[in-house]
Amino acid sequence: MEIVVSMAIGVMGGAGVWLVLRPRTFQVLIGLSLLSYAVNLFIFSVGSLSTGKEPIVKPGLPADLTNYTDPLPQSLVLTAIVIGFATTALFLVVLLALRGLSGGDHVDGREEQP
Amino acid sequence: MDQLPVSLLLVTMLPFLGSILAALLPTNARNAESLVSALVALAVFVSFALLYPQVSTGEVIVERHTWIPQLGVDLLLRIDGFAWMFAMLVSGVGLLVILYARYYLSPEDPAARFYSLLLGFMGAMLGIVVSGNLVQLILFWELTSVFSFLLIGYWYHRQDARRGARMALLLTGGGGLALFAAVLLIGHAAGSYELDAVFAAADQVRDHNLYPLMLTLLLVGAFTKSAQFPFHFWLPQAMAAPTPVSAYLHSATMVKAGVFLLARLWPVLAGTDEWFWVVGGTGLVTLLLGAYAAMFQNDLKGLLAYSTISHLGLITLLLGLNSPLAAVAAVFHMMNHATFKASLFMSVGIIDHETGTRDMRRLRGLYRSMPITGTLAIVASAAMAGVPLLNGFLSKEMFFAETVFVSAQPWIKIALPLAATLAGVFAVLYSLRLAHGAFFGPPPEDLPRAPHEPVRWMRVPIELLVLACLVVGIIPALSIGPALATAARPVVGGTLPAYSLAAWHGFNLPLVMSLVALAGGVLIYARYGEHLRARTSNRVPLLPLNGRQLFESLLARLIALAGKIQQLTGTRRLQPQLLWMLVIAGAAGLSSALIVPLEWGHRERIPMTPEFVLLWLLGGSCAIGAAWQAKFHRLAALTLLSLVGLAVCITFAWFSAPDLALTQLAVEVVTLVLYLLGLRWLPRRIELDGDLRRADIAWWRRRRDFVIALLIGSALAVLSYALLTRDAPLSIAPFFIERALPDGGGTNVVNVMLVDFRAFDTLGEITVLGIVGLTVYALLRRFRPPRESIARPAQQRTALRQFGTDISQRHDPAELPPDYLAVPAVLVRLLLPLALAFALYLLLRGHNKPGGGFIAGLVVSITLVSQSMASGTRWVEARLNLGPQRWIGAGLMLALLTGLAALPFGYPFLTTHTLHLDLPLLGALHLPSAALFDLGVFCVVVGATLLLLTALAHQTLRAQRQAAVDVEEAG
């Protein structure tokens, strides 16, 4: 399973990087979303992967990582998901404002001069 | 009298306090402003005058205050005779200038700013003078530069004032930095920054092997301030200042700070060959150059500025001669120059004020219309020229005498007196240009204003100063003798050399030099005076280099260079910035492999399941598909992206993170709605045609980015695989799991962490969320949709043409047709109470089971947004007054108050308290205060999400209204 998760992180990260380097705002926006998926999953996986060990306290079970998965990365990622949503929204609106001002959707506000 | 009547610190700070007071008075209250300022100056003057009995005996008054005890730096006020003399000068001339400026400033000039700055400058200058500590002196030194900058630029609507101010600040401020370095070196050599300690360690400093360096740096500081060659050119530019400022700063006080410092440290640094050659040489060059250039000026203030440069050169030369007698002469000339130059500046100010011009080519014969001012100016000019029975004569005689008796190499013995006499000839000549040229000759023609005497009180300061010139010139020993002795004694190190102050010393060589200078000056003026007046150009003959132009072109080049460097190393384009950020971040991440080798560990693997592999086969291909399609098929890319999000969501659920899975799911939905609302405003994609070069660049860029993406992607995969297979280090997690129930009152550790252990972080996060919501709202209020996207979407238009559906029936385009999407609307409406109940359930159980404020908030928002989608924004808003801003505010307030509630009980901010209840029907109940905090989170999430989505949705309405208006206008 580890290899699948790491491959998933790699593919999403690579696709995100490719898109972030594109000149169109929508591409960059999608790229950032993909990158944040990759990073969230990466941070989440730092806390070691395990199935069926939700960090919900059960009476009588010793409080260590053999019985529970690590809750710390989970709470970090939860925050990251919500903040990511907020920044995506902000970026989308800035993108729309840029579109209104410049008439185009190039990230620099105007087409490149070769 | 051991104890002072008042604290010295208070006296020194008084001008600063006055400055603040003056700034607070009404802008144009000239009378009140000048009264306050005059009282402050008078108080300072009288306080220092009262100290005379003490300092005249050679006593040094020291007052110590703790300043930075950690560094052993004290605020040290130290007054000896020399400092006393300067303090008297600063406050005395300051008082006269304040009086003068009352009548000089016009009612339109903001008097508050003027007097506030002037008093601030006075305080800074006093600070320099009474500093007993060199570091403290630097502080006030730089303050004078700042105030000088502000005062020169007082009329900031004038370009010459702004440029002059900038040049003065750059030069004197920069010199101050050099001086700071010098002071640090001196302090290092002497072992202390305190003046007395430095005086005591004089030999140590002079013998230090860094002496040449500290001397150079110190001289850069002193020479820039005192406008010595080659830094002299800022002073004429500073004449753009109002004349009272020139009279005060650029004749009597600030420019004297440089020579003050040279004299102050004379006992420590003088006496060496380097000192003689550098200080004496610079002084001589400046003396000659200033006097020479002064002759060719057409502007009265320009003449005075160059004359000031020349006189400062004279003082520097005297200090550089390494003789105590010359140092005494230097101190004497500082006092004399201040009196006659201040009075001359004020006279010129009156001429400017009453005639409207300072151009010497137009001014003549003014004596007829302003005889009193004329007489005063003529006497002061005579003092400047060194005419007997005036104070300027006395110090000039001492100077001539010193040049004759200086004992260095033989050629200096001849050259120095000759140069001094030559400078004397120049001085007589330019003084005559001022006194004779402006006041005698035929009556003036076509002056901007008819000249007349100024008001009585504007002349009083000049009268007092000229009186001083006369009294000192006629009976020097009686009038100024004791004060001079007091002032000069500390400069020469305690024992005064023998000198006599008298107007008549018999017929000797210095007198011959004076007479030669007077006769030569008068003769040349008689021969060439009219010729000088007739000159049209402002250029000084025989001087090819213009310091001002050099400086300005240097500055311009420097700025251009900075621009070029920025152009080469920086960019405003986003793509290169992102590229560099990714490359550097990637390299930094990978370079960790250099320290810890990148290899797999032996942690127990989780057995692979085909479903999960299938999930990510799908997820991965969706990610690649999104990347591929994002350019031309936005909707497809969006759909693929959502599928990736879903795969991530399932992964969270798979690996024991139910909270994450729920949040991700909800956020996925909201994000998708958000994107869909925004998609419509993006421009139609057009294939760029024909430009081969552009296509070529794009081809290469795509290849490059592909390689980078491949590299970063594989690096990420390898890193995370290495991370996942190695043994996990000791985690702090067990602490949280252990303390969640007893301390946080909940069993869902992730939620307890969010609302309790890391509640402060969450508070910040919901604040960000609220701010983003409001920002989006504010941004969109001003948003104007592009013209071409206002029209109806192509699909609707096609439908209209082909079928004539209900969409085509509406008249108001913002209003949906009746029963549009009726079945979904009913279903969604039925969903509303169910969803609200579910959200409540999620919120309540969040502390113990998966759920919580974030998820509940998102669920509520989704339900409400789906109402809008099915029935239209207007329909929803007509029935539900949501007010998302209020939700944000209330939520933040609730979270904050819950946190603050812990404070009165003596617990830190955001401490949770759990109420344990035993209710009859429900059984044991835990009510943690964190639940209230979670409720706050819930409210903020609802408010922010709704605000985001409705603000975007409203754009469509607005666009359609716009379209309707357009249609009406067209029809």
Side-chain angles (χ1 to χ4, degrees):
Chain A
M1 293 291 247
E2 285 83 357
I3 192 137
V4 181
V5 172
S6 356
M7 295 281 275
I9 292 171
V11 169
M12 287 190 293
V17 166
W18 159 262
L19 279 178
V20 157
L21 292 173
R22 295 301 91 216
R24 304 287 149 200
T25 43
F26 186 74
Q27 289 174 303
V28 177
L29 193 58
I30 297 281
L32 281 176
S33 294
L34 278 174
L35 260 185
S36 62
Y37 286 149
V39 171
N40 284 348
L41 201 56
F42 181 78
I43 294 175
F44 166 72
S45 67
V46 167
S48 78
L49 297 177
S50 46
T51 45
K53 293 179 183 170
E54 288 79 11
I56 290 166
V57 181
K58 298 171 195 75
L61 213 58
D64 55 30
L65 287 181
T66 51
N67 297 314
Y68 299 103
T69 189
D70 196 337
L72 185 61
Q74 289 197 17
S75 69
L76 289 177
V77 171
L78 204 152
T79 316
I81 291 172
V82 179
I83 286 280
F85 161 66
T87 47
T88 306
L90 189 60
F91 187 34
L92 183 76
V93 170
V94 169
L95 183 159
L96 295 185
L98 171 82
R99 157 86 172 110
L101 283 175
S102 75
D105 68 341
H106 194 279
V107 283
D108 296 329
R110 54 157 185 244
E111 294 298 325
E112 248 171 281
Q113 300 306 317
Chain B
M1 193 168 72
D2 285 329
Q3 201 59 43
L4 289 167
V6 286
S7 159
L8 267 180
L9 187 66
L10 182 70
V11 176
T12 321
M13 288 302 123
L14 197 58
F16 289 117
L17 300 177
S19 168
I20 295 169
L21 181 64
L24 295 177
L25 285 174
T27 310
N28 289 320
R30 281 189 295 175
N31 288 326
E33 295 282 355
S34 53
L35 186 68
V36 166
S37 311
L39 284 179
V40 167
L42 190 68
V44 175
F45 186 78
V46 170
S47 313
F48 277 102
L50 289 177
L51 293 175
Y52 181 68
Q54 270 174 291
V55 292
S56 64
T57 58
E59 193 187 322
V60 178
I61 306 167
V62 175
E63 201 179 285
R64 187 181 287 271
H65 300 268
T66 352
W67 185 16
I68 316 172
Q70 296 88 343
L71 297 176
V73 180
D74 285 342
L75 198 63
L76 202 59
L77 303 173
R78 177 187 182 279
I79 298 184
D80 56 7
F82 187 52
W84 175 82
M85 185 272 278
F86 248 90
M88 293 296 283
L89 212 59
V90 167
S91 51
V93 179
L95 182 61
L96 298 179
V97 166
I98 287 164
L99 180 61
Y100 175 81
R102 158 65 187 83
Y103 299 98
Y104 180 86
L105 290 181
S106 77
E108 292 88 54
D109 291 325
R113 183 151 57 88
F114 182 85
Y115 281 105
S116 174
L117 291 175
L118 202 70
L119 282 178
F121 173 80
M122 184 188 282
M125 195 66 206
L126 273 180
I128 293 186
V129 167
V130 302
S131 285
N133 182 316
L134 287 172
V135 179
Q136 180 191 340
L137 187 144
I138 298 290
L139 184 78
F140 288 113
W141 182 281
E142 294 288 39
L143 258 187
T144 59
S145 295
V146 172
F147 279 116
S148 156
F149 168 76
L150 294 171
L151 281 167
I152 297 171
Y154 176 70
W155 285 319
Y156 52 68
H157 54 274
R158 281 170 39 181
Q159 194 194 31
D160 61 333
R162 293 196 302 269
R163 285 202 175 160
R166 185 180 65 175
M167 187 186 285
L169 181 70
L170 281 176
L171 273 169
T172 58
L177 292 181
L179 183 65
F180 193 19
V183 159
L184 292 180
L185 286 175
I186 292 173
H188 171 70
S192 168
Y193 294 112
E194 292 184 7
L195 265 183
D196 286 310
V198 173
F199 286 147
D203 293 329
Q204 215 174 307
V205 173
R206 273 194 300 267
D207 296 338
H208 201 274
N209 51 11
L210 287 177
Y211 173 77
L213 182 64
M214 61 177 93
L215 187 64
T216 313
L217 290 169
L218 180 105
L219 291 181
V220 167
F223 288 172
T224 46
K225 201 79 162 179
S226 276
Q228 296 295 294
F229 178 83
F231 309 112
H232 60 282
F233 51 86
W234 71 263
L235 190 58
Q237 304 307 313
M239 291 301 130
T243 302
V245 172
S246 309
Y248 190 36
L249 269 67
H250 305 122
S251 68
T253 54
M254 187 179 98
V255 290
K256 292 269 165 56
V259 285
F260 167 82
L261 188 74
L262 291 183
R264 182 84 280 180
L265 293 176
W266 197 84
V268 183
L269 296 172
T272 60
D273 277 350
E274 294 98 322
W275 178 273
F276 175 77
W277 287 109
V278 180
V279 179
T282 308
L284 183 64
V285 171
T286 314
L287 167 68
L288 283 170
L289 192 80
Y292 177 71
M295 295 192 297
F296 297 100
Q297 299 303 309
N298 292 323
D299 176 14
L300 278 173
K301 276 180 89 177
L303 184 150
L304 289 180
Y306 276 105
S307 147
T308 301
I309 292 173
S310 162
H311 280 275
L312 289 167
L314 191 154
I315 297 170
T316 308
L317 172 57
L318 279 170
L319 289 169
L321 290 178
N322 279 342
S323 117
L325 207 51
V328 175
V331 174
F332 193 26
H333 199 67
M334 284 181 211
M335 302 156 83
N336 292 334
H337 177 252
T339 48
F340 67 69
K341 194 49 72 61
S343 62
L344 275 173
F345 265 110
M346 293 191 209
S347 309
V348 164
I350 289 180
I351 295 176
D352 188 12
H353 204 256
E354 306 306 337
T355 67
T357 181
R358 297 196 312 247
D359 192 334
M360 278 189 279
R361 289 166 298 191
R362 298 171 73 184
L363 294 168
R364 57 168 71 222
L366 290 179
Y367 196 81
R368 288 184 188 81
S369 45
M370 34 174 67
I372 307 178
T373 310
T375 312
L376 295 171
I378 291 165
V379 175
S381 310
M384 176 163 77
V387 173
L389 295 184
L390 289 164
N391 60 354
F393 171 73
L394 297 176
S395 41
K396 207 157 234 188
E397 282 279 289
M398 287 170 97
F399 164 59
F400 285 154
E402 279 309 304
T403 59
V404 173
F405 297 119
V406 69
S407 45
Q409 277 141 348
W411 66 269
I412 290 178
K413 269 179 128 45
I414 302 161
L416 198 56
L418 278 180
T421 317
L422 187 65
V425 172
F426 292 161
V428 172
L429 192 87
Y430 67 67
S431 303
L432 273 172
R433 277 204 73 193
L434 197 168
H436 184 268
F439 289 101
F440 295 100
E445 288 154 18
D446 66 315
L447 289 178
R449 266 171 248 159
H452 59 86
E453 281 289 347
V455 285
R456 173 87 185 79
W457 282 97
M458 196 169 179
R459 239 167 29 215
V460 166
I462 312 178
E463 285 165 0
L464 288 173
L465 287 168
V466 169
L467 187 70
C469 291
L470 279 166
V471 171
V472 171
I474 296 166
I475 41 167
L478 285 177
S479 57
I480 198 74
L484 175 62
T486 306
R489 196 179 292 118
V491 175
V492 294
T495 36
L496 278 173
Y499 62 92
S500 93
L501 276 181
W504 177 250
H505 280 114
F507 194 77
N508 51 16
L509 194 54
L511 187 63
V512 172
M513 289 161 73
S514 273
L515 293 177
V516 169
L518 279 172
V522 172
L523 279 176
I524 299 176
Y525 181 75
R527 175 78 182 75
Y528 293 107
E530 278 307 309
H531 181 70
L532 282 174
R533 175 192 279 278
R535 271 164 47 86
T536 48
S537 112
N538 265 327
R539 275 197 61 242
V540 179
L542 299 179
L543 284 183
L545 284 180
N546 184 326
R548 179 183 64 84
Q549 279 168 6
L550 266 176
F551 178 83
E552 284 191 340
S553 68
L554 193 73
L555 202 64
R557 254 177 234 173
L558 210 65
I559 292 169
L561 183 72
K564 208 162 262 173
I565 290 175
Q566 198 201 13
Q567 212 175 25
L568 280 176
T569 57
T571 173
R572 286 184 153 190
R573 293 179 45 227
L574 183 71
Q575 285 165 281
Q577 290 180 25
L578 282 175
L579 178 71
W580 279 105
M581 194 185 79
L582 285 170
V583 167
I584 291 172
L590 268 187
S591 66
S592 66
L594 296 176
I595 303 160
V596 183
L598 202 59
E599 54 194 16
W600 318 144
H602 304 288
R603 189 163 10 145
E604 199 188 333
R605 309 284 205 275
I606 300 169
M608 195 126 34
T609 46
E611 295 91 332
F612 194 74
V613 176
L614 202 63
L615 173 73
W616 274 109
L617 270 178
L618 189 69
S621 8
C622 284
I624 293 168
W628 180 33
Q629 293 295 331
K631 191 173 183 189
F632 292 118
H633 303 277
R634 297 198 185 108
L635 194 60
L638 207 52
T639 318
L640 291 170
L641 180 74
S642 294
L643 285 174
V644 182
L646 223 51
V648 174
C649 175
I650 294 171
T651 311
F652 286 146
W654 200 292
F655 293 113
S656 332
D659 281 284
L660 287 190
L662 279 172
T663 315
Q664 181 77 55
L665 191 64
V667 163
E668 224 25 76
V669 174
V670 181
T671 315
L672 188 64
V673 174
L674 194 74
Y675 273 127
L676 288 173
L677 283 171
L679 264 188
R680 156 174 185 138
W681 306 114
L682 287 174
R684 183 192 287 268
R685 284 256 43 85
I686 309 156
E687 283 274 18
L688 284 173
D689 50 346
D691 193 337
L692 282 176
R693 204 162 145 234
R694 200 195 290 250
D696 207 31
I697 292 174
W699 189 85
W700 276 111
R701 191 174 286 157
R702 274 201 291 274
R703 296 295 174 283
R704 181 198 66 190
D705 293 348
F706 185 75
V707 173
I708 291 171
L710 208 61
L711 278 176
I712 293 185
S714 6
L716 265 176
V718 170
L719 269 180
S720 57
Y721 187 65
L723 201 81
L724 281 171
T725 52
R726 283 182 209 170
D727 281 321
L730 213 58
S731 170
I732 54 171
F735 168 83
F736 294 119
I737 300 169
E738 219 164 81
R739 309 303 308 169
L741 192 55
D743 288 0
T747 52
N748 181 1
V749 186
V750 174
N751 185 268
V752 171
M753 287 183 80
L754 281 176
V755 298
D756 189 346
F757 295 133
R758 297 177 64 248
F760 198 54
D761 186 69
T762 309
L763 185 65
E765 191 205 344
I766 56 173
T767 313
V768 171
L769 206 60
I771 290 172
V772 167
L774 293 174
T775 312
V776 165
Y777 176 66
L779 273 175
L780 287 179
R781 269 168 66 92
R782 289 272 159 198
F783 174 69
R784 291 286 169 273
R787 287 257 148 207
E788 72 269 19
S789 51
I790 287 174
R792 257 179 214 162
Q795 293 83 344
Q796 285 190 19
R797 270 177 306 189
T798 320
L800 274 174
R801 230 177 291 125
Q802 291 179 347
F803 310 110
T805 60
D806 51 356
I807 305 175
S808 64
Q809 299 306 313
R810 56 182 165 157
H811 298 290
D812 179 3
E815 202 66 62
L816 287 175
D819 299 327
Y820 180 65
L821 286 181
V823 177
V826 170
L827 285 179
V828 165
R829 250 169 262 165
L830 282 177
L831 194 67
L832 184 65
L834 283 177
L836 289 181
F838 178 57
L840 186 66
Y841 169 67
L842 280 175
L843 178 67
L844 285 180
R845 75 175 215 149
H847 218 47
N848 296 315
K849 297 274 158 54
F854 279 117
I855 301 159
L858 287 167
V859 168
V860 169
S861 324
I862 292 168
T863 325
L864 290 173
V865 166
S866 47
Q867 305 300 318
S868 302
M869 284 162 68
S871 314
T873 318
R874 281 192 175 175
W875 186 89
V876 174
E877 279 175 3
R879 284 155 185 83
L880 275 175
N881 186 11
L882 288 169
Q885 294 96 323
R886 260 170 276 157
W887 284 78
I888 297 177
L892 277 178
M893 194 57 87
L894 186 62
L896 198 66
L897 285 179
T898 314
L900 286 174
L903 292 181
F905 299 101
Y907 290 103
F909 183 52
L910 286 166
T911 310
T912 303
H913 173 73
T914 311
L915 196 64
H916 298 278
L917 289 175
D918 211 0
L919 293 176
L921 262 174
L922 298 167
L925 195 68
H926 308 291
L927 277 180
S929 67
L932 281 177
F933 184 83
D934 216 14
L935 187 64
V937 173
F938 166 80
C939 292
V940 175
V941 172
V942 171
T945 316
L946 280 182
L947 192 57
L948 282 172
L949 295 175
T950 48
L952 257 177
H954 268 271
Q955 298 312 310
T956 317
L957 289 184
R958 186 189 285 178
Q960 283 165 349
R961 264 201 305 277
Q962 183 69 39
V965 169
D966 287 353
V967 166
E968 267 170 39
E969 277 172 1

